Amino acid sequence: MKHILGRVAVAAIAVAFASEAMATEWNVSLWGKRRAFTEHVEKLAELVSEKTNGEFTLNISYGGLSKNKENLDGISIGAFEMAQFCAGYHRDKNPTITVLELPFLGVANLQEEVAVSNAVYAHPAVQADLARWNAKLLMTSPMPQYNIVGTGEPRSTLDSMKGMRVRATGGVGKAFAAIGAVPTSVTATEAYNAMESGVVDTVAFAPHAHLAFRTIDIADWWTENLNPGTVNCPVVVNTDAYNALTDAEREALDSSVDEAIAHYIDNYEQLLVKWDGILEEKGVKRVHISDDDLAAFRAAAADPIREQWIKDMEAQGLPGQELYDLVMETLKKERM
């Protein structure tokens, strides 16, 4: 009887170890803190765990695994299995997706941002670009147009923005440079200190980031209609880790993306509804840029930067014109 019980105990332990061994845990590298910008990743983790009865989990870390500008490098060496990054942080590492950061593309809302991102991410040249980093594009992080906050006298005209030191990356930074401002690419987590210490005069962010990184707390004014563009921040997975998933795990991950994005958009739109009240509560003045200045801004930034971007991409053997046309065609289809 003792021998039988012993064999049963050993078998139970073996089953327990086998179950533990079969469980899959992925580490996910984000930065800052949980906010509207990361809600799709949080929702994805929730859905994947539910669909696999906890056998596949995403362990989300806010800055504990890597610096935000090094997340793509971490993915490439398998330091973690999933990460979020922004194209403008390292344009040379991901040139093809910077088409989505060109200024004044005319993307009107988060749904359109998702549509153009998905179209670009599906392009073979883009997938090959990210494959150099052993990265597979999973989903975007749609953001509305950027606007700037600042202290002191409002920068309400293009002339007043000449020489202005602005925290802006990617195409938004190039747009400001085109009108004589001085862009700097300090990271989101450094923006508050840079603004408080006077390293920069203004900070360009989407609304959630002005809240999350507290730049709105020290702002005197905010441009409500400058809308020069936005940044594109994909969520990627390590290709080897993705391929190592079981069919059930891969299905749980892939089938959760659309719901995670829908949750993100719903959450973000609720924030935008509250935005006016937040500005009033914090005593931040709304600055309206004139139509003439906006037209001059577009003339200085949109066409020249786009044409140079296409030329630079084609010189690298990348289909710059094709990618730009894809964005425009996708916007047209989305609006139909």
Side-chain angles (χ1 to χ4, degrees):
M1 188 65 171
K2 287 181 181 178
H3 289 302
I4 293 172
L5 290 173
R7 285 197 294 272
V8 169
V10 170
I13 292 170
V15 168
F17 274 117
S19 298
E20 200 172 305
M22 286 190 291
T24 300
E25 291 187 14
W26 274 15
N27 290 319
V28 183
S29 183
L30 309 181
W31 65 88
K33 61 182 181 180
R34 182 170 179 172
R35 57 202 187 281
F37 179 67
T38 63
E39 275 304 302
H40 55 335
V41 184
E42 295 281 356
K43 185 65 174 179
L44 189 73
E46 177 188 317
L47 293 169
V48 166
S49 181
E50 285 177 1
K51 291 179 180 181
T52 61
N53 296 315
E55 292 300 317
F56 181 16
T57 55
L58 306 180
N59 298 324
I60 298 173
S61 171
Y62 286 92
L65 296 173
S66 174
K67 295 179 180 178
N68 46 7
K69 288 189 176 182
E70 297 172 5
N71 270 346
L72 189 55
D73 299 285
I75 284 288
S76 71
I77 62 173
F80 32 82
E81 290 79 15
M82 184 184 292
Q84 188 177 34
F85 68 89
C86 294
Y89 281 163
H90 35 57
R91 295 186 296 274
D92 293 342
K93 292 180 181 179
N94 41 246
T96 54
I97 58 174
T98 59
V99 66
L100 295 162
E101 296 192 339
L102 288 174
F104 299 107
L105 283 176
V107 179
N109 53 51
L110 297 180
Q111 289 82 0
E112 289 185 359
E113 187 68 34
V114 171
V116 294
S117 293
N118 287 347
V120 169
Y121 292 178
H123 193 285
V126 176
Q127 294 183 356
D129 189 9
L130 273 294
R132 297 179 300 136
W133 305 96
N134 205 21
K136 173 181 169 58
L137 290 152
L138 185 67
M139 59 182 177
T140 188
S141 308
M143 284 188 286
Q145 294 289 295
Y146 271 33
N147 273 285
I148 59 174
V149 299
T151 56
E153 285 298 311
R155 309 276 185 151
S156 56
T157 65
L158 292 197
D159 281 344
S160 68
M161 293 181 191
K162 289 178 180 176
M164 176 184 76
R165 296 163 300 170
V166 55
R167 184 275 173 194
T169 62
V172 176
K174 287 189 174 183
F176 279 114
I179 59 170
V182 183
T184 177
S185 59
V186 298
T187 65
T189 51
E190 299 167 329
Y192 178 92
N193 288 338
M195 186 171 165
E196 185 182 43
S197 64
V199 171
V200 298
D201 303 309
T202 58
V203 171
F205 272 151
H208 80 274
H210 282 307
L211 283 171
F213 298 107
R214 298 175 50 229
T215 49
I216 200 69
D217 292 349
I218 53 175
D220 294 322
W221 52 270
W222 171 75
T223 58
E224 63 180 348
N225 68 324
L226 195 58
N227 300 337
T230 189
V231 299
N232 191 262
C233 302
V235 175
V236 295
V237 298
N238 174 275
T239 304
D240 294 333
Y242 180 82
N243 291 337
L245 294 174
T246 66
D247 290 344
E249 290 168 341
R250 197 175 300 112
E251 168 62 21
L253 180 66
D254 292 343
S255 67
S256 298
V257 168
D258 287 346
E259 187 174 347
I261 289 289
H263 168 78
Y264 176 108
I265 291 175
D266 179 63
N267 181 76
Y268 210 116
E269 288 179 343
Q270 290 178 45
L271 182 151
L272 292 177
V273 169
K274 299 174 184 175
W275 183 244
D276 287 346
I278 292 168
L279 294 176
E280 186 174 347
E281 174 193 330
K282 295 184 179 293
V284 177
K285 180 180 180 181
R286 301 165 68 106
V287 173
H288 191 84
I289 309 300
S290 73
D291 290 344
D292 287 346
D293 271 341
L294 288 177
F297 197 176
R298 291 189 190 95
D303 291 348
I305 291 174
R306 180 187 69 246
E307 289 167 8
Q308 187 61 50
W309 182 88
I310 290 171
K311 182 179 177 181
D312 291 344
M313 292 302 106
E314 300 286 345
Q316 297 177 53
L318 296 170
Q321 185 68 57
E322 186 178 328
L323 288 170
Y324 175 76
D325 291 344
L326 176 60
V327 172
M328 294 298 104
E329 289 162 9
T330 303
L331 279 177
K332 185 177 179 180
K333 288 177 184 175
E334 185 72 8
R335 290 165 183 171
M336 289 172 63

